Amino acid sequence: MKLTVFNGSPRGKGSNTKTILEHFLNGFMTTGGNTYEVVYLVHIKDSDNFIKLFEEAEQVLLAFPLYIDAMPALVKTFIESLEPLCGRKSNPDIGFIVQSGFPEPIHSRYVERYLKKLAVRLGCRYKGTVIKGGVEVIRATPNWMNKGLFKSFFKLGKTFGTTGEFNAQIMRQLLKPEKLSKWHFRFFKLTGDKFYWDKLLKKNNAFEKRFTKPYIK
Ligand SMILES: Cc1cc2nc3c(=O)[nH]c(=O)nc-3n(C[C@H](O)[C@H](O)[C@H](O)COP(=O)(O)O)c2cc1C
């Protein structure tokens, strides 16, 4: 099986999306004869080539982080660039991986509905959307703490490599917990927002602007 993978993170090769995909693809490659190509959508100057690669693909996997309850702008731009291919008979099958900072997959449910509809409109067979929350933590913690997550993506890739489908049981395991308990939520707000994200905002000189709404006149 030949898989064309689009990584939609603005962080490109330094992204959590890449880390997760690496484990998925290691599993995928355990089946002899499988091949893959990874395309980084952040390399916008190659965007004409993205459409060509999609057009020629047998199977497509589009993986991206959740940004503001949706997708990064470069993913939306890519999707819109596919419009000329809508309804083409030979469009590839398509599956998605959406990973987010908040641990609750419920945040990704709207984009999941969008992606399902997108596949139908493109005329691609929809293979499903793998959703995983709480992924930012992998860059702030040592690898051994994320062994379970990496193993799940390896197994997901391995079964995908043999069946061409996402394994429903592994997908369900990745979804847990759909919603945090009240206490777990408070703990997450404190450690995630106060210590991690605020520090990142300050490091990037963006802390003071964090509630800015440039779209409101
Ligand atoms: C601008 C921005 C917006 C984000 N919005 C959300 C969000 O709405 N919900 C969420 O759960 N995580 C959000 N996140 C967190 C990312 O989804 C998370 O850190 C992800 O693992 C980043 O993956 P990447 O390294 O592949 O880009 C946001 C991160 C950034 C930088």
Side-chain angles (χ1 to χ4, degrees):
M1 187 190 321
K2 183 173 178 285
L3 184 62
T4 306
V5 184
F6 293 92
N7 178 333
S9 170
R11 285 172 171 164
K13 290 192 175 160
S15 62
N16 300 335
T17 306
K18 179 182 181 245
T19 305
I20 275 180
L21 281 173
E22 263 168 12
H23 292 277
F24 180 92
L25 292 169
N26 285 343
F28 176 77
M29 290 304 285
T30 56
T31 301
N34 280 354
T35 58
Y36 69 85
E37 178 173 11
V38 181
V39 183
Y40 290 91
L41 296 182
V42 74
H43 298 152
I44 299 169
K45 57 177 181 0
D46 299 334
S47 57
D48 287 347
N49 200 33
F50 299 161
I51 308 171
K52 196 167 156 273
L53 287 167
F54 187 96
E55 213 174 341
E56 291 167 358
E58 289 169 21
Q59 309 275 335
V60 163
L61 178 59
L62 171 58
F64 60 88
L66 193 71
Y67 266 27
I68 324 292
D69 295 321
M71 73 266 302
L74 54 90
V75 175
K76 190 76 163 79
T77 305
F78 169 62
I79 288 170
E80 285 172 5
S81 75
L82 298 175
E83 196 180 353
L85 305 181
C86 264
R88 202 177 56 116
K89 283 234 156 42
S90 53
N91 269 344
D93 294 353
I94 191 163
F96 303 91
I97 297 178
V98 179
Q99 54 86 14
S100 65
F102 282 113
E104 301 165 302
I106 198 167
H107 294 267
S108 300
R109 292 298 184 191
Y110 290 100
V111 83
E112 179 188 27
R113 281 162 63 180
Y114 168 91
L115 295 171
K116 196 169 178 182
K117 207 175 245 183
L118 170 72
V120 174
R121 290 197 176 156
L122 279 170
C124 297
R125 191 173 77 77
Y126 175 65
K127 291 196 179 217
T129 300
V130 177
I131 297 176
K132 180 64 197 152
V135 174
E136 183 66 11
V137 86
I138 67 176
R139 61 200 304 125
T141 50
N143 275 349
W144 63 264
M145 285 180 76
N146 303 300
K147 253 166 54 186
L149 175 68
F150 296 159
K151 206 167 158 191
S152 296
F153 272 94
F154 178 88
K155 283 202 287 190
L156 194 70
K158 192 173 175 183
T159 50
F160 189 92
T162 50
T163 63
E165 305 294 333
F166 292 130
N167 180 285
Q169 198 190 345
I170 304 171
M171 280 171 88
R172 271 197 303 276
Q173 279 165 6
L174 287 169
L175 288 171
K176 287 177 190 163
E178 180 73 12
K179 247 181 143 270
L180 294 178
S181 68
K182 204 167 77 184
W183 291 110
H184 198 165
F185 179 75
R186 282 189 187 159
F187 175 76
F188 178 77
K189 281 286 287 173
L190 192 69
T191 52
D193 281 10
K194 286 275 157 277
F195 295 120
Y196 185 79
W197 288 109
D198 284 2
K199 212 168 121 192
L200 265 193
L201 284 165
K202 284 175 190 161
K203 194 174 146 200
N204 289 289
N205 275 337
F207 186 73
E208 303 305 332
K209 296 183 216 151
R210 68 195 185 285
F211 298 119
T212 310
K213 296 176 180 172
Y215 45 87
I216 293 180
K217 293 231 162 92

